[in-house]
Amino acid sequence: MGDWIPPPSDVLKFNVDGSVRGTAGQAGIRGVLWVNPSNILCSFSIGIGVQDLITAEILAIAKACELCISQMELTGKSIVINSDSRAAVSWINNEDLGNINFSHLIYDIRNILLRLGKTTVEFSSRASNSLADTLAKQGSAREEDVLVWNLS
């Protein structure tokens, strides 16, 4: 599982990643929300058609935000969304919207983060995000989306 670093005991970690075959090809996004490697609360793996890598990375972060806000059980929890895309994380966390083509996605993500209150988006190295990376590659080949919740 690489160098996965567990969050503090009162924080949930959502590792996300995007994967693209080639420069712009079949793409997939994946995320895993967990307390620790043996306690996974949610996972998703979704094919997103033909995209470039930065689009896939931003869509993975957006999906994690959407899932966090969709579950009442996560209200008030501190959640760190980790991505190995330095550019995507920078655009989301700074006033600069980055590439104009992503401004609507960045704006939507920022609004969800404001509503969630205790959720942040942080950069993590590929090594510490290896499970999400592996599963995103699988998502690019999927014919069906997968979303699994385990909040009990």
Side-chain angles (χ1 to χ4, degrees), residues 6-147:
S9 61
D10 60 339
V11 177
L12 303 176
K13 187 176 256 193
F14 212 142
N15 289 88
V16 299
D17 200 20
S19 176
V20 176
R21 293 181 180 183
T23 305
Q26 283 302 114
I29 58 175
R30 174 67 181 187
V32 181
L33 174 64
W34 38 20
V35 177
N36 60 58
S38 63
N39 189 359
I40 295 175
L41 303 178
C42 176
S43 65
F44 69 87
S45 182
I46 299 171
I48 56 171
V50 176
Q51 298 290 343
D52 60 43
L53 185 56
I54 191 68
T55 302
E57 297 284 357
I58 293 170
L59 288 172
I61 295 168
K63 185 64 176 179
C65 289
E66 172 191 317
L67 292 171
C68 287
I69 206 156
S70 74
Q71 295 298 314
M72 293 297 294
E73 293 88 342
L74 299 178
T75 302
K77 303 269 188 200
S78 293
I79 303 170
V80 175
I81 299 171
N82 282 124
S83 168
D84 63 7
S85 173
R86 196 177 300 275
V89 171
S90 175
W91 293 342
I92 290 164
N93 289 327
N94 296 309
E95 302 227 355
D96 177 19
L97 291 175
N99 184 320
I100 192 68
N101 295 325
F102 304 117
S103 61
H104 68 285
L105 279 171
I106 302 298
Y107 180 77
D108 290 346
I109 291 168
R110 288 179 181 175
N111 279 335
I112 291 172
L113 291 171
L114 284 172
R115 289 172 51 202
L116 288 167
K118 293 183 176 182
T119 300
T120 60
V121 178
E122 298 177 1
F123 171 77
S124 63
S125 69
R126 184 162 307 225
S128 64
N129 212 28
S130 62
L131 179 60
D133 178 59
T134 299
L135 296 171
K137 288 181 175 109
Q138 293 173 359
S140 65
R142 285 196 183 280
E143 292 188 19
E144 293 183 20
D145 296 344
V146 174
L147 172 61

